[in-house]
Amino acid sequence: MKSKAENLVFPKEFLCGLASSATQIEGGCQGHVWYRWSQENHIKDHSSSLRAGQHWQRVDQDLQLLSQLGVQTYRMGLEWARIQPSASSFDEQALVVYRTEILKLKALGIKPLLTLFHFNNPLWFEDSGGWMRADAATVWLGFVDFVVEGLGDLVSDWITINEPNVYLYKSFLDGEWPPGERSLLKYLRGGRQIIKAHRLAYNLIHRKRKEKLWDRDQATLVGVAHHLRIFDPLHKWNLVLRVLSAAVRYLIQDWFLYAMTGPKTKAAPRKWADFIGINYYTRDMMSMSFNASSLFTRQTVKKAALVNDLGWEIYPEGLYRLVKKQWKAFGLPIWITENGVCDRSDALRTSFIADHLAYLLAAIETGVKVERYYHWTLYDNFEWTEGEAAPFGLFALDFETQERTMRPSGQLYAQWARSKIWKGVGQQ
Ligand code: BGC
């Protein structure tokens, strides 16, 4: 069900935001696995994470872009390898850079939402076994502890892990990302560590902010940004495909959702989550395959479907379906922590956003508590193995000159973010 209204009027308290990640915009860091993966020529367009949007040197310029867009909140990431360059050392100076950025953000009236892990490991961690280590979760917790100690007075909202499922799938099942493995066993082993890491971080952030009385003015809110997609069987009435789709959905999505949210407790609606973060992009139509490392499934795109530049189906109704489902399952507030489209010409982006917002509003109107929407992303960035060739930005980025230019969709987004009203949907 989609909102039929011509103007989409969102509640006044709804927060409009923008999302990014450290590795994809900062550039300059050589101590992590994505730099090495670039050096080893795994990036399709031969670009490197070393360049990206040079955000590390251009913080002020980028804050101006955010302010131009009029958003109320910004989801940003920290580069673990910068803050902890070796197993036994932390870089106070790097933390100061992030602290300064957050202070400036707040001075602009923009609320930070901080991501602690977004697909990237320091080399020292990766080379000592990474998420396969039996103590991986507690090793990572050392980094979390240092960060919360240094930034916890400024930041109340946290995402511990971005898309545990995508990270593990790409790194340990289909092997496209470092360390390039194809092993279901490793996927499961990494999953156990990442689930544990989230639970420990959830407890640590709450405990520390409470002890230091930092949570007096701003309640602490911690969750995961889950990558959720729709898995539909390619042939609706094929029973085997339906079972297979359900099994893949469990292994790739629901396992993480349930394990990282936890059961209800007396003290809290859920043990390890204060909100459900949803990153939503597309739907997969499931068919059979005989390749074990792809879990015996092939993910295909519906015939004649509208697709983005990467060939992903644009399916706005999926957001409605997912939001309703998670609300029913967990009863926690929902934040759309990512939603966006790869679209160089900007021909699709405006209606992409309008349609997704229309479905979101329809869900809100049925009583679902959706509190925030973060668009992915501010400007074109280093899109993992796609390199610099997959533009998701409201601003176009010329990687050579580093010039940022607002796309027409960015102007409409700014109007929405300021007024909370998306105008003229019925006419599109
Ligand atoms: C990730 C982002 C990525 C985006 C577009 C999400 O899965 O969190 O890092 O850039 O999708 O592919």
Side-chain angles (χ1 to χ4, degrees):
M1 195 186 63
K2 183 175 172 180
S3 173
K4 304 255 179 351
E6 190 163 299
N7 294 334
L8 305 175
V9 184
F10 279 74
K12 286 214 164 50
E13 60 283 6
F14 190 86
L15 297 188
C16 311
L18 241 299
S20 71
S21 88
T23 311
Q24 292 179 272
I25 62 171
E26 284 179 2
C29 183
Q30 302 191 3
H32 55 61
V33 292
W34 275 97
Y35 171 67
R36 185 163 70 192
W37 206 239
S38 313
Q39 292 298 100
E40 290 171 358
N41 216 13
H42 291 286
I43 313 301
K44 292 179 191 163
D45 66 354
H46 312 292
S47 60
S48 161
S49 62
L50 203 56
R51 180 156 75 172
Q54 295 180 1
H55 173 73
W56 197 245
Q57 288 85 37
R58 293 171 184 266
V59 171
D60 289 337
Q61 186 185 358
D62 289 348
L63 290 177
Q64 278 317 306
L65 305 185
L66 284 173
S67 148
Q68 251 175 281
L69 288 173
V71 292
Q72 296 91 48
T73 176
Y74 176 51
R75 178 182 162 207
M76 58 178 272
L78 305 177
E79 191 63 87
W80 178 10
R82 272 191 202 282
I83 296 178
Q84 192 176 5
S86 76
S88 55
S89 67
F90 290 94
D91 185 343
E92 291 280 354
Q93 231 3 72
L95 205 71
V96 169
V97 175
Y98 287 118
R99 200 176 160 82
T100 311
E101 174 169 8
I102 292 167
L103 282 167
K104 288 181 177 170
L105 204 57
K106 292 179 77 151
L108 291 169
I110 302 173
K111 193 175 179 51
L113 167 62
L114 216 55
T115 310
L116 290 162
F117 180 79
H118 197 128
F119 300 161
N120 205 352
N121 296 324
L123 289 171
W124 62 263
F125 177 71
E126 185 87 344
D127 294 341
S128 64
W131 290 97
M132 295 300 110
R133 286 173 64 148
D135 62 352
T138 47
V139 171
W140 179 71
L141 202 69
F143 156 73
V144 176
D145 186 67
F146 179 77
V147 168
V148 179
E149 190 72 37
L151 303 177
D153 58 330
L154 300 180
V155 181
S156 56
D157 304 353
W158 302 78
I159 285 176
T160 54
I161 310 277
N162 180 68
E163 302 190 347
N165 55 349
V166 171
Y167 169 68
L168 293 161
Y169 185 91
K170 298 294 254 178
S171 307
F172 298 102
L173 265 184
D174 89 352
E176 192 185 321
W177 291 3
E181 303 270 2
R182 282 167 167 260
S183 150
L184 181 57
L185 213 66
K186 290 193 172 173
Y187 173 86
L188 296 172
R189 233 162 95 182
R192 282 188 53 201
Q193 281 301 321
I194 284 200
I195 289 166
K196 186 174 168 194
H198 161 72
R199 292 174 177 176
L200 291 171
Y202 179 91
N203 292 339
L204 184 148
I205 298 167
H206 271 283
R207 195 186 57 242
K208 200 155 257 199
R209 289 197 84 245
K210 202 179 175 119
E211 272 168 20
K212 308 231 179 200
L213 306 180
W214 290 336
D215 67 348
R216 266 196 309 200
D217 301 332
Q218 294 279 312
T220 309
L221 299 172
V222 185
V224 170
H226 291 280
H227 179 101
L228 301 185
R229 51 175 71 199
I230 299 281
F231 292 109
D232 278 340
L234 185 59
H235 308 292
K236 207 170 170 187
W237 304 115
N238 181 323
L239 201 64
V240 179
L241 276 183
R242 289 171 80 122
V243 172
L244 212 56
S245 308
V248 169
R249 191 181 311 118
Y250 176 77
L251 199 61
I252 296 189
Q253 284 182 184
D254 293 355
W255 177 36
F256 296 100
L257 257 171
Y258 282 91
M260 294 168 108
T261 303
K264 283 193 176 109
T265 66
K266 274 203 189 110
R270 294 284 161 180
K271 199 164 178 188
W272 297 297
D274 304 311
F275 58 87
I276 300 287
I278 299 181
N279 295 356
Y280 177 68
Y281 289 89
T282 190
R283 143 165 94 171
D284 284 338
M285 305 303 293
M286 306 299 285
S287 65
M288 297 274 284
S289 145
F290 293 97
N291 181 350
S293 70
S294 66
L295 302 174
F296 300 106
T297 54
R298 193 166 333 122
Q299 287 135 350
T300 55
V301 173
K302 201 176 177 174
K303 231 178 172 173
L306 183 64
V307 295
N308 74 9
D309 290 359
L310 294 172
W312 306 352
E313 180 181 354
I314 295 177
Y315 179 57
E317 191 181 348
L319 187 57
Y320 179 84
R321 288 171 61 186
L322 286 170
V323 159
K324 292 282 284 186
K325 193 172 163 192
Q326 304 328 319
W327 174 248
K328 195 166 165 219
F330 303 111
L332 284 178
I334 290 172
W335 298 357
I336 307 307
T337 36
E338 281 182 34
N339 174 236
V341 61
C342 181
D343 173 27
R344 183 174 299 281
S345 68
D346 206 38
L348 303 170
R349 195 170 280 102
T350 300
S351 52
F352 177 97
I353 300 173
D355 289 344
H356 284 80
L357 291 183
Y359 275 108
L360 207 56
L361 188 61
I364 294 173
E365 284 165 358
T366 67
V368 179
K369 204 169 168 193
V370 185
E371 297 179 333
R372 305 182 183 190
Y373 173 93
Y374 292 85
H375 190 73
W376 183 271
T377 183
L378 183 57
Y379 51 76
D380 304 338
N381 58 30
F382 177 75
E383 175 59 31
W384 312 113
T385 40
E386 300 297 330
E388 297 174 349
F392 276 86
L394 291 179
F395 284 79
L397 173 67
D398 181 327
F399 286 89
E400 282 293 325
T401 63
Q402 286 293 318
E403 196 183 342
R404 285 110 160 105
T405 313
M406 196 192 267
R407 292 192 161 103
S409 55
Q411 279 161 21
L412 292 165
Y413 195 78
Q415 273 174 28
W416 174 64
R418 286 179 201 288
S419 64
K420 315 261 170 88
I421 302 175
W422 190 285
K423 291 205 176 100
V425 183
Q427 294 145 20
Q428 282 160 17

